[in-house]
Short mmCIF file of all heavy atoms in Angstrom, two decimals:
data_model
loop_
_atom_site.label_atom_id
_atom_site.label_comp_id
_atom_site.label_asym_id
_atom_site.label_seq_id
_atom_site.Cartn_x
_atom_site.Cartn_y
_atom_site.Cartn_z
N ARG S 72 23.26 222.72 94.17
CA ARG S 72 24.13 223.63 93.41
C ARG S 72 23.15 224.50 92.60
O ARG S 72 22.49 223.99 91.74
CB ARG S 72 25.05 222.86 92.48
CG ARG S 72 25.97 221.87 93.21
CD ARG S 72 27.01 221.31 92.26
NE ARG S 72 27.70 220.15 92.81
CZ ARG S 72 28.74 220.20 93.64
NH1 ARG S 72 29.20 221.37 94.06
NH2 ARG S 72 29.33 219.10 94.06
N THR S 125 33.73 221.37 102.62
CA THR S 125 33.96 220.60 101.40
C THR S 125 34.99 219.52 101.72
O THR S 125 35.95 219.78 102.47
CB THR S 125 34.45 221.48 100.24
OG1 THR S 125 34.95 220.61 99.20
CG2 THR S 125 35.58 222.42 100.63
N ILE S 126 34.84 218.38 101.07
CA ILE S 126 35.87 217.33 101.26
C ILE S 126 37.14 217.66 100.52
O ILE S 126 38.18 217.08 100.79
CB ILE S 126 35.36 215.93 100.82
CG1 ILE S 126 35.02 215.91 99.33
CG2 ILE S 126 34.19 215.47 101.68
CD1 ILE S 126 34.83 214.51 98.75
N ASP S 127 37.08 218.60 99.57
CA ASP S 127 38.19 218.77 98.63
C ASP S 127 39.45 219.41 99.19
O ASP S 127 40.52 219.25 98.64
CB ASP S 127 37.72 219.63 97.43
CG ASP S 127 36.61 218.98 96.62
OD1 ASP S 127 36.47 217.74 96.73
OD2 ASP S 127 35.89 219.68 95.93
N MET S 169 38.18 211.59 94.91
CA MET S 169 37.62 212.90 94.58
C MET S 169 38.59 214.04 94.93
O MET S 169 39.70 213.78 95.39
CB MET S 169 36.31 213.10 95.30
CG MET S 169 35.12 212.45 94.60
SD MET S 169 33.60 212.89 95.48
CE MET S 169 32.38 212.32 94.30
N GLY S 170 38.12 215.25 94.75
CA GLY S 170 38.94 216.43 95.10
C GLY S 170 38.86 217.52 94.05
O GLY S 170 39.57 218.53 94.16
N ARG S 171 38.04 217.30 93.06
CA ARG S 171 37.92 218.28 91.95
C ARG S 171 39.31 218.57 91.38
O ARG S 171 39.98 217.62 90.96
CB ARG S 171 37.23 219.55 92.45
CG ARG S 171 36.50 220.29 91.36
CD ARG S 171 35.81 221.49 91.91
NE ARG S 171 34.64 221.17 92.69
CZ ARG S 171 33.42 220.96 92.18
NH1 ARG S 171 33.23 221.07 90.90
NH2 ARG S 171 32.41 220.64 92.95
N GLU S 222 40.86 212.62 90.93
CA GLU S 222 39.95 212.74 89.80
C GLU S 222 40.34 213.85 88.84
O GLU S 222 39.99 213.84 87.66
CB GLU S 222 38.50 212.93 90.26
CG GLU S 222 38.26 214.26 90.99
CD GLU S 222 36.78 214.52 91.27
OE1 GLU S 222 35.91 213.92 90.66
OE2 GLU S 222 36.53 215.38 92.15
N TYR S 250 31.12 208.59 95.50
CA TYR S 250 30.39 209.28 96.58
C TYR S 250 30.56 208.68 97.97
O TYR S 250 30.17 209.32 98.94
CB TYR S 250 28.90 209.39 96.20
CG TYR S 250 28.71 210.25 95.01
CD1 TYR S 250 28.53 209.69 93.75
CD2 TYR S 250 28.79 211.64 95.10
CE1 TYR S 250 28.42 210.49 92.65
CE2 TYR S 250 28.70 212.43 93.99
CZ TYR S 250 28.50 211.87 92.75
OH TYR S 250 28.41 212.67 91.66
N ARG S 253 32.03 211.04 100.35
CA ARG S 253 31.34 212.24 100.84
C ARG S 253 30.41 211.95 102.01
O ARG S 253 29.88 212.88 102.61
CB ARG S 253 30.56 212.87 99.69
CG ARG S 253 31.40 213.78 98.85
CD ARG S 253 30.76 215.01 98.34
NE ARG S 253 29.40 214.93 97.93
CZ ARG S 253 28.98 215.29 96.69
NH1 ARG S 253 29.83 215.74 95.79
NH2 ARG S 253 27.70 215.24 96.41
O1 LIG D 1 33.26 219.35 95.78
C1 LIG D 1 33.00 218.09 96.31
C2 LIG D 1 32.92 217.09 95.19
O2 LIG D 1 32.64 215.81 95.76
C3 LIG D 1 34.14 217.00 94.28
O3 LIG D 1 35.20 216.26 94.88
C4 LIG D 1 33.57 216.35 93.04
O4 LIG D 1 34.34 216.70 91.91
C5 LIG D 1 32.19 216.95 92.98
O5 LIG D 1 31.88 217.41 94.30
C6 LIG D 1 31.11 216.05 92.50
O6 LIG D 1 29.95 216.80 92.42
P1 LIG D 1 28.46 216.25 92.22
O7 LIG D 1 27.91 215.92 93.56
O8 LIG D 1 27.75 217.39 91.59
O9 LIG D 1 28.58 215.04 91.36
#
Side-chain angles (χ1 to χ4, degrees):
R72 300 189 194 277
T125 167
I126 62 167
D127 297 340
M169 278 185 168
R171 207 178 287 276
E222 66 173 341
Y250 295 100
R253 276 217 323 234

